[in-house]
Amino acid sequence: MPLVPMRILLDHAAENDYGVGAFNVNNMEQIQAIMMAATKTNSPVIVQASRGARSYSNDNYLRHLMLAASELNPQIPMAMHQDHGNSPATCFSAIQQGFTSVMMDGSLEADGKSPATYEYNVEVTKAVVDVAHTLGVTVEGELGCLGGIEDGHGAGLSGDEALAHLTDPEQAADFVEATGCDALAVAIGTSHGAYKFTKKPTGDVLKMDVIEKIHAKLPNCHLVMHGSSSVPKHLMDIINEFGGDMGESYGVPVEQIQRGIKHGVRKINVDTDNRLAITGAIRRVFHETPGKFDPRDYLKPARIAMAEVVEERMVAFGQAGWADKIKAVSLVDMAARYGG
Ligand code: G3H
Ligand code: 13P
Ligand code: ZN
């Protein structure tokens, strides 16, 4: 099956009340891990690349790896998504590279750090929608800002400042109407990376009620949860057991994500959990068999460890079992649906 527009996957998920994990990739092993889990569980997949991933791996490598994944797994509907596009130019270059979906994250300015004005966000998101839809490409927007981040994309907000940047349900309805975006990423107290919460999050820091309010206002909009790694203790423990040094931390419990899925969440972004699984597996090989030096000796277990996490999430989000029930739609047909 050729790569499909992400909208197809989200529409199907909405019709059948499940969520789809969107897993970040930077290299071949991560893409293979996702496809291993998808074929095992018969799941549709969203594979996403950040700007950092695109510059790390080079667009040409990424494009060919994604095409290889879809060629080798024709039964799996797969969308290739730009994660956190910081400007229309980034989104347009992703579309040129064959991405079937882009995120225009206008919640932050082009530096990927400073919170932007609402007007700026509407303007850049609409500019991307206007072009992307004529080509059948899906657009995800973001309203509100995620919490802090150690590095990479994010405003570094915490405490009251972070609370002030949660998504406002009224404004969300206005934003979707004004931009025509297909999916909306919402800020509900999560953040990127391993250090999200200092204890298991309760409703005062992880605002699932905000999702419920947004869904009540926008029942037909596909909602997206970023920063949705669960930061499992057993993965942190493996890293620490084999020479790592990671502090105590808590992520987004899977049951809270499942609650979100009952209220319109259709795309769930997971990167950190896979990074933890890969790092733990590699550390274990280095520690237990220090004489090994063939990269395959540690990349193979790393790939398996990531595939296990992805498989668990695919089952928990409810996307398992649906791949062969989704009909492929081409970008050209999708453009026609948008009226292009
Ligand atoms: O946006 C956050 C994702 O985990 C991607 O991270 O920008 O370091 O590739 P990155
Ligand atoms: P995590 O860091 O929680 O995995 O979030 C990833 C993400 O939101 C990518 O956009
Ligand atoms: Zn994100």
Side-chain angles (χ1 to χ4, degrees):
M1 192 183 290
L3 296 170
V4 298
M6 187 172 76
R7 176 72 192 245
I8 295 304
L9 305 185
L10 303 186
D11 284 350
H12 190 270
E15 281 155 23
N16 295 284
D17 300 316
Y18 65 90
V20 187
F23 303 103
N24 288 75
V25 298
N26 298 268
N27 63 19
M28 180 181 77
E29 284 77 9
Q30 290 175 308
I31 296 176
Q32 289 174 328
I34 296 168
M35 299 319 286
M36 281 158 67
T39 51
K40 188 161 169 206
T41 59
N42 186 29
S43 297
V45 288
I46 300 169
V47 179
Q48 60 185 10
S50 67
R51 266 192 309 146
R54 286 177 62 192
S55 80
Y56 170 79
S57 55
N58 181 305
D59 278 344
N60 285 4
Y61 280 112
L62 258 190
R63 182 175 73 250
H64 286 288
L65 287 169
M66 301 269 199
L67 291 175
S70 85
E71 229 173 84
L72 290 167
N73 302 279
Q75 76 288 13
I76 302 291
M78 172 178 169
M80 175 172 166
H81 175 75
Q82 163 79 60
D83 191 24
H84 292 287
N86 66 320
S87 65
T90 298
C91 295
F92 297 150
S93 72
I95 294 171
Q96 274 174 333
Q97 286 299 323
F99 285 63
T100 57
S101 179
V102 293
M103 176 184 193
M104 176 60 242
D105 183 355
S107 72
L108 300 175
E109 291 178 5
D111 65 2
K113 296 197 183 325
S114 322
T117 63
Y118 178 71
E119 291 70 26
Y120 168 88
N121 195 355
V122 169
E123 186 190 321
V124 290
T125 307
K126 184 167 183 330
V128 172
V129 168
D130 285 348
V131 173
H133 282 185
T134 64
L135 300 166
V137 171
T138 311
V139 180
E140 173 186 339
E142 173 163 332
L143 188 63
C145 297
L146 259 65
I149 187 171
E150 307 91 69
D151 55 10
H153 194 99
L157 305 172
S158 60
D160 288 348
E161 227 187 349
L163 285 179
H165 284 85
L166 296 183
T167 307
D168 172 48
E170 290 286 342
Q171 204 176 47
D174 193 69
F175 183 81
V176 172
E177 168 78 27
T179 62
C181 63
D182 301 277
L184 182 69
V186 293
I188 55 163
T190 65
S191 52
H192 291 131
Y195 298 100
K196 301 181 196 303
F197 305 111
T198 52
K199 56 182 172 52
K200 189 171 173 188
T202 48
D204 54 336
V205 287
L206 178 59
K207 305 272 186 191
M208 297 308 297
D209 58 314
V210 171
I211 295 244
E212 292 173 11
K213 287 181 192 140
I214 297 168
H215 182 55
K217 285 255 164 235
L218 278 170
N220 299 320
C221 182
H222 302 309
L223 304 180
V224 183
M225 275 176 71
H226 280 247
S228 290
S229 276
S230 303
V231 193
K233 183 173 175 326
H234 71 275
L235 294 181
M236 301 275 265
D237 285 348
I238 295 172
I239 291 177
N240 287 338
E241 187 183 340
F242 297 110
D245 182 16
M246 297 203 65
E248 190 180 352
S249 178
Y250 295 81
V252 182
V254 168
E255 63 273 17
Q256 294 300 327
I257 297 172
Q258 289 169 329
R259 178 177 163 192
I261 292 169
K262 291 200 179 85
H263 296 277
V265 171
R266 300 294 159 227
K267 174 172 181 274
I268 303 108
N269 283 17
V270 175
D271 186 359
T272 296
D273 286 352
N274 293 325
R275 293 177 173 187
L276 295 174
I278 288 170
T279 299
I282 291 176
R283 279 194 175 280
R284 184 195 290 274
V285 175
F286 284 173
H287 188 270
E288 288 181 344
T289 47
K292 291 218 182 274
F293 61 93
D294 180 341
R296 290 171 296 190
D297 287 333
Y298 50 87
L299 292 178
K300 215 168 156 186
R303 189 169 61 186
I304 292 169
M306 172 164 163
E308 283 169 3
V309 172
V310 174
E311 183 186 335
E312 270 175 34
R313 297 294 176 278
M314 285 174 162
V315 171
F317 300 161
Q319 75 201 83
W322 288 109
D324 59 358
K325 296 171 186 73
I326 298 173
K327 245 180 87 216
V329 172
S330 69
L331 289 172
V332 172
D333 288 346
M334 196 66 216
R337 285 193 197 182
Y338 286 123

